[in-house]
Amino acid sequence: MITSLTNKTVKNWMKLKTKKERDVQGLFLVDGRHMTQEALKAGVVETIITTDTNYKSDVLVEYVSENVMEKLSFTKTPQPFMAVCRKKKNVLNEEGKRFLILDGVQDPGNVGTMIRTALAFSFDQVILSKDSCDLYNDKTLRSTQGAVFMMDIIRADLSVIIPELKKKGIFVVGSSLRDARDMNEISSREKMAFIMGNEGQGMKQEMLDLCDERLFIPIHTMESLNVGVAAGVIMYQFRGE
């Protein structure tokens, strides 16, 4: 059992709390029994970290003391399980028919909500822009409630990926309050991608200019919806099979 906070392995796990180190190692931490179980189902676990000395697994298990778990955990009341996991491959889904693209979305809760919703409505891939919040941030991971392990997700330069999608016959639709058509006037197509913009600024003009179409959601009283809610409405309207 590892009991020292200065243990080399513990120090290395602690490094995974930073985006820079996650990117270097290609690994990330998940916290709690549920997320650990979901990661195991997905086959991405490198190491299980636990205070439960009776726990056994087919993957490497490292037993740690309560004080080490408190140091590693992202929560004030640590659960007895964490896991070190491998990051997803960053490859465009060549066979996909439904894509959700996030252009500078910053709030981890919004990103997690949209990932869960994309999974629920049979979208094939979620694409995060380079300036969207980090997928492997603990708040983002927790807000996905495990959907991160079931949804195909990549990070990409949107100025490159959007033209790639269009070359593959995917109809790209941006969300905008200006110079846009009512969502209900837009016909569903076999292959579509929908772009959601930053919480405060919306989509970048450069990305809007790359779209085949722009849509808005017809609403009353309020000028706009939370980006996670808006994405849910759009994905339901144009859900996959």
Side-chain angles (χ1 to χ4, degrees):
M1 175 180 282
I2 300 173
T3 59
S4 172
L5 298 179
T6 58
N7 178 278
K8 183 179 178 181
T9 301
V10 173
K11 286 184 175 181
N12 192 52
W13 290 336
M14 285 297 296
K15 289 179 182 179
L16 295 177
K17 290 193 170 189
T18 68
K19 181 181 184 303
K20 180 180 177 181
E21 197 64 31
R22 290 193 293 268
D23 289 344
V24 169
Q25 295 193 40
L27 300 171
F28 65 99
L29 288 171
V30 297
D31 200 350
R33 187 185 298 270
H34 172 68
M35 289 294 283
T36 298
Q37 288 174 339
E38 293 301 319
L40 281 168
K41 288 178 191 174
V44 297
V45 176
E46 292 247 318
T47 308
I48 293 172
I49 306 165
T50 182
T51 56
D52 182 356
T53 55
N54 293 316
Y55 180 80
K56 298 292 186 289
S57 176
D58 292 333
V59 302
L60 175 65
V61 179
E62 290 280 13
Y63 301 104
V64 300
S65 59
E66 296 283 353
N67 67 313
V68 171
M69 187 62 86
E70 286 177 10
K71 179 75 172 177
L72 290 170
S73 179
F74 295 95
T75 62
K76 289 183 179 179
T77 308
Q79 293 187 41
F81 288 92
M82 294 184 73
V84 179
C85 305
R86 294 181 294 278
K87 291 174 70 172
K88 292 173 175 287
K89 293 180 180 178
N90 211 60
V91 180
L92 179 65
N93 186 336
E94 299 282 348
E95 306 301 321
K97 294 181 179 180
R98 285 290 184 274
F99 297 83
L100 178 68
I101 303 173
L102 308 187
D103 179 16
V105 179
Q106 295 296 310
D107 184 81
N110 285 334
V111 172
T113 295
M114 287 188 275
I115 289 170
R116 287 162 54 197
T117 308
L119 181 65
F121 293 141
S122 300
F123 270 56
D124 299 299
Q125 189 167 58
V126 174
I127 301 171
L128 306 179
S129 66
K130 298 280 189 178
D131 60 345
S132 288
C133 80
D134 182 28
L135 175 63
Y136 300 102
N137 171 307
D138 175 63
K139 290 181 180 178
T140 311
L141 289 170
R142 279 190 282 122
S143 70
T144 70
Q145 295 187 7
V148 65
F149 299 116
M150 295 175 273
M151 189 72 219
D152 187 358
I153 309 165
I154 64 170
R155 182 176 293 271
D157 181 341
L158 299 192
S159 64
V160 174
I161 210 78
I162 293 172
E164 273 190 49
L165 290 169
K166 291 172 72 172
K167 284 179 185 177
K168 297 180 185 304
I170 295 158
F171 192 72
V172 180
V173 183
S175 55
S176 176
L177 297 176
R178 295 179 291 105
D179 302 321
R181 292 174 63 199
D182 185 318
M183 174 179 72
N184 296 303
E185 296 175 1
I186 297 173
S187 299
S188 182
R189 303 183 181 216
E190 183 187 8
K191 297 181 178 182
M192 302 182 79
F194 301 90
I195 310 176
M196 307 305 300
N198 172 269
E199 289 88 346
Q201 305 300 318
M203 283 181 60
K204 299 181 190 69
Q205 188 61 47
E206 176 191 358
M207 302 311 154
L208 279 168
D209 292 342
L210 290 173
C211 293
D212 296 305
E213 183 68 90
R214 303 177 188 184
L215 65 68
F216 70 89
I217 301 169
I219 58 175
H220 302 287
T221 310
M222 300 301 295
E223 181 181 337
S224 63
L225 298 171
N226 166 275
V227 66
V229 173
V233 172
I234 292 168
M235 285 189 280
Y236 177 77
Q237 177 91 343
F238 299 96
R239 57 194 178 279
E241 297 177 356

